Amino acid sequence: MLWKLVSANGRSPQGDEPSYSEFMSRIDGIKEVTLYLSSNSYELMGEYIRPANRRFHLTVPKEVVPDLLRQLRERDVLIKVKEVRTGDWTLILLNAAPLILLVGFCLFLMRQTQGKWRRTGVAILGSPRTGIGYDLHRLEEGRPLIIGGMELPFDKGPVGHSDGDVLAHALCDALLGAAGLGDIGTHFPDTDPKWKGANSMLFLEHAKKLLDEKRFAIEHVDAVVITERPKLGPHFPKMREALAKALGVGAEKIHLKAKTNEGVDAIGRGEAIAAHVVATLTSR
């Protein structure tokens, strides 16, 4: 019962628990009473005159209360009437209920939203990381011109330890740089004979493997190849496909551009070819 939980001063009551008839037989020795009102019955708590400071509590039917109060007043007993009180834990629960419901609703929405993202294939991405890459090779007559994994018809080709693919090399450096994994020279040194004449797509495949180990995803690649000749635009679709295949991504994530050097310096004179690449990664 409620009066057993909390007394008038907020503490658990101590003292007698007489029946109603026992209480009435001792009514002349009552010092004070407090009547707690509730819907079905009333709780009566109070203190005897003798023995001093001896307390009591009991439940009384509602119908006897008017007569009981009359008899107590005739005996000049101090009477207090209060609304029923609840324990602090009940108040805390009642006050916290809206917050608990709100938190539960928020968690429900989060689960629903995450499920929707998974169903629609939308990934939750981490902070983006960007790397830049640059490469330049001299051009020499009689060598194959390989750019972006494609061999193009031309009378000159790059001089290099591997196949000299300037675009693939710059792209590899950009990816490694964004992931903080060094550069192409660290992983494929030109002093190692096993890389002599190697297909540069192998370099990109190895770089992709390193990114996967570090849980990085390739979000976008933007590249520009600088050469006077030949015209590269017509070959970009196949280059994008070759690069995307080596990196295990969609071709839409590879963007290629071509520029000339307006006849200036070695590139402008047709003696060299260069490439700049910016790669963006996200952590998974």
Side-chain angles (χ1 to χ4, degrees), residues 16 23 26-35 44-56 58 68-69 71-80:
D16 296 338
F23 171 76
R26 302 180 61 180
I27 193 169
D28 290 328
I30 303 300
K31 179 180 178 181
E32 63 177 41
V33 296
T34 302
L35 189 65
L44 196 64
M45 300 182 62
E47 185 176 340
Y48 296 115
I49 299 174
R50 287 182 301 275
N53 299 322
R54 184 66 178 175
R55 302 190 65 80
F56 61 85
L58 71 155
L68 173 61
L69 293 178
Q71 294 192 49
L72 291 172
R73 291 191 184 99
E74 289 175 354
R75 291 166 174 80
D76 295 325
V77 176
L78 177 61
I79 302 173
K80 299 177 183 177

Side-chain angles (χ1 to χ4, degrees), residues 1-276:
M1 296 297 292
L2 190 59
W3 54 268
K4 291 184 177 180
L5 293 177
V6 180
S7 68
N9 58 10
R11 297 179 181 176
S12 297
Q14 298 293 332
D16 296 338
E17 297 183 21
S19 66
Y20 180 68
S21 59
E22 291 173 338
F23 171 76
M24 293 303 294
S25 67
R26 302 180 61 180
I27 193 169
D28 290 328
I30 303 300
K31 179 180 178 181
E32 63 177 41
V33 296
T34 302
L35 189 65
Y36 289 98
L37 307 180
S38 62
S39 58
N40 298 320
S41 62
Y42 292 164
E43 311 302 332
L44 196 64
M45 300 182 62
E47 185 176 340
Y48 296 115
I49 299 174
R50 287 182 301 275
N53 299 322
R54 184 66 178 175
R55 302 190 65 80
F56 61 85
H57 55 264
L58 71 155
T59 302
V60 295
K62 294 179 65 173
E63 58 270 17
V64 305
V65 169
D67 182 63
L68 173 61
L69 293 178
R70 179 183 58 77
Q71 294 192 49
L72 291 172
R73 291 191 184 99
E74 289 175 354
R75 291 166 174 80
D76 295 325
V77 176
L78 177 61
I79 302 173
K80 299 177 183 177
V81 179
K82 294 186 178 181
E83 294 292 335
V84 70
R85 299 180 60 184
T86 60
D88 291 344
W89 61 271
T90 307
L91 293 176
I92 292 172
L93 180 60
L94 291 174
N95 289 330
L99 180 59
I100 294 173
L101 292 174
L102 178 61
V103 172
F105 182 66
C106 291
L107 291 174
F108 171 77
L109 289 180
M110 289 175 62
R111 289 177 63 87
Q112 291 294 104
T113 304
Q114 289 173 354
K116 181 179 179 181
W117 285 339
R118 285 193 291 269
R119 289 192 297 272
T120 57
V122 178
I124 302 175
L125 303 178
S127 300
R129 298 167 65 106
T130 302
I132 59 174
Y134 169 76
D135 195 34
L136 180 144
H137 284 281
R138 290 183 295 108
L139 294 176
E140 188 176 278
E141 291 186 1
R143 297 179 64 88
L145 177 62
I146 299 177
I147 304 175
M150 305 297 301
E151 183 172 349
L152 308 184
F154 196 56
D155 58 352
K156 292 181 180 180
V159 177
H161 185 65
S162 62
D163 60 6
D165 189 335
V166 68
L167 176 55
H169 293 180
L171 174 53
C172 192
D173 259 353
L175 295 172
L176 294 172
L181 295 172
D183 58 19
I184 192 171
T186 303
H187 297 274
F188 313 103
D190 57 11
T191 55
D192 190 338
K194 81 174 184 178
W195 302 120
K196 185 172 179 59
N199 186 332
S200 293
M201 295 297 102
L202 296 176
F203 300 165
L204 293 178
E205 291 172 2
H206 181 73
K208 177 59 164 56
K209 180 180 178 181
L210 295 177
L211 295 181
D212 289 341
E213 291 174 356
K214 295 292 185 179
R215 300 188 62 80
F216 286 117
I218 299 171
E219 292 302 320
H220 187 66
V221 169
D222 189 28
V224 56
V225 182
I226 308 169
T227 184
E228 293 298 307
R229 291 184 303 121
K231 294 292 185 181
L232 302 182
H235 304 286
F236 279 164
K238 289 186 177 181
M239 288 185 193
R240 292 175 64 207
E241 291 178 6
L243 295 171
K245 181 179 179 181
L247 295 174
V249 299
E252 70 279 0
K253 293 191 174 184
I254 310 293
H255 185 235
L256 304 178
K257 305 186 291 290
K259 298 291 182 181
T260 70
N261 228 33
E262 299 293 337
V264 179
D265 66 33
I267 295 176
R269 294 190 297 270
E271 300 172 359
I273 185 172
H276 297 266

